[in-house]
């Protein structure tokens, strides 16, 4: 853990939010886990717990978005990238002993509508993640409507599978579903490329 007080509070809050959610994490929990004096929280975060959680959640979303975008950009075949994403999630769950899942899922389940900035960060996060997947599928030739549906399928399955894996303490469900989802993506890509070739063949010289 970092030595400076502000960073310790951020790191402690990020972990607590993923474990307990927004309403399940109190100021006392944050101070206890970070070892920070009470006065330092309002010194570094004048808005209190809400400001701290918003900052932590925004950083967590940015990290996931960057890693997802890099994975999808590094592979021209989206089916290969999608399999790697499922494998990466499985490794993450094993490494944290199935104690942590999606960084924003606990926040969403807490329905933080009384903190508009937090609710907006979560909404935009899912839009970004689904959008990155949709764009990757479209780059491979999948039509937009189907690409959107596939992106929703991938994202929703990952969110649900993280919960199942944590409950069963087993990564096997991720591997099983990954096989099926990858097959769907491969089929969609083949269909898209076939349609593109057919359209090109009908074009006048």
């Amino acid at each position: 853990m970092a030595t400076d007080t502000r960073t310790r509070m951020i790191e402690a809050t990020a972990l607590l939010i993923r474990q307990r959610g927004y309403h399940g994490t109190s100021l006392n929990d944050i101070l206890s886990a970070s070892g920070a004096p009470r006065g330092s929280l309002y010194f570094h975060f004048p808005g209190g717990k809400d400001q701290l959680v918003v900052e932590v959640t925004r950083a967590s979303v940015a990290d996931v978005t960057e890693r997802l975008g890099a994975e999808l950009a590094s592979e021209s075949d989206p089916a290969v990238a999608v399999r790697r994403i499922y494998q990466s999630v499985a490794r993450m769950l094993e490494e944290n002993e199935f104690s942590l899942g999606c960084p924003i899922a606990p926040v969403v389940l807490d329905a933080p509508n009384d903190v508009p900035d937090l609710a907006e960060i979560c909404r935009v996060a899912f839009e970004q993640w689904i959008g990155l997947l949709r764009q990757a599928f479209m780059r491979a030739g999948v039509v937009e409507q189907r690409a959107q549906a596939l992106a929703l399928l991938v994202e929703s399955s990952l969110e649900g599978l993280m919960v199942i894996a944590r409950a069963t303490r087993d990564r096997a469900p991720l591997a099983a579903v990954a096989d099926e989802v990858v097959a769907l993506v491969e089929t969609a890509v083949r269909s898209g490329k076939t349609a593109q070739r057919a359209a090109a063949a009908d074009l006048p010289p």
Side-chain angles (χ1 to χ4, degrees):
M1 181 174 282
T3 55
D4 67 283
T5 301
R6 190 177 193 279
T7 302
R8 290 205 315 272
M9 285 192 289
I10 289 173
E11 291 177 347
T13 302
L15 181 60
L16 288 167
I17 291 296
R18 290 180 73 181
Q19 291 174 330
R20 307 178 186 181
Y22 173 77
H23 294 301
T25 300
S26 69
L27 285 178
N28 285 337
D29 293 331
I30 294 169
L31 295 173
S32 176
S34 64
R38 181 172 293 273
S40 64
L41 188 143
Y42 290 99
F43 174 78
H44 292 290
F45 304 96
K49 173 186 169 182
D50 287 354
Q51 181 184 351
L52 175 54
V53 173
V54 164
E55 183 167 331
V56 164
T57 305
R58 184 177 285 117
S60 296
V61 168
D63 178 60
V64 173
T65 302
E66 181 180 1
R67 287 188 286 112
L68 177 62
E71 185 66 68
L72 292 168
S74 69
E75 177 55 61
S76 60
D77 184 346
V80 173
V82 166
R83 185 177 294 282
R84 288 178 180 168
I85 290 165
Y86 279 85
Q87 292 170 339
S88 176
V89 170
R91 283 195 303 272
M92 177 268 292
L93 288 163
E94 283 192 326
E95 288 169 0
N96 67 46
E97 298 182 338
F98 300 95
S99 63
L100 305 171
C102 173
I104 65 169
V107 178
V108 173
L109 293 174
D110 266 356
N113 294 324
D114 51 337
V115 187
D117 287 348
L118 193 56
E120 179 67 5
I121 290 169
C122 294
R123 183 190 68 78
V124 171
F126 282 119
E127 285 187 353
Q128 289 178 327
W129 300 341
I130 292 165
L132 286 169
L133 289 161
R134 182 186 65 248
Q135 291 163 14
F137 299 147
M138 290 178 65
R139 287 195 299 271
V142 181
V143 297
E144 184 173 5
Q145 184 175 1
R146 191 172 189 185
Q148 174 70 7
L150 279 174
L152 283 165
L153 176 64
V154 171
E155 182 61 36
S156 60
S157 72
L158 285 169
E159 295 296 330
L161 286 164
M162 280 188 270
V163 175
I164 293 171
R166 290 182 65 189
T168 60
R169 300 185 66 81
D170 187 2
R171 65 180 286 169
L174 278 149
V177 173
D179 288 340
E180 297 299 324
V181 172
V182 166
L184 288 173
V185 174
E186 290 172 340
T187 298
V189 170
R190 283 196 301 270
S191 297
K193 289 180 177 178
T194 298
Q196 287 179 335
R197 286 194 295 268
D202 289 339
L203 290 175

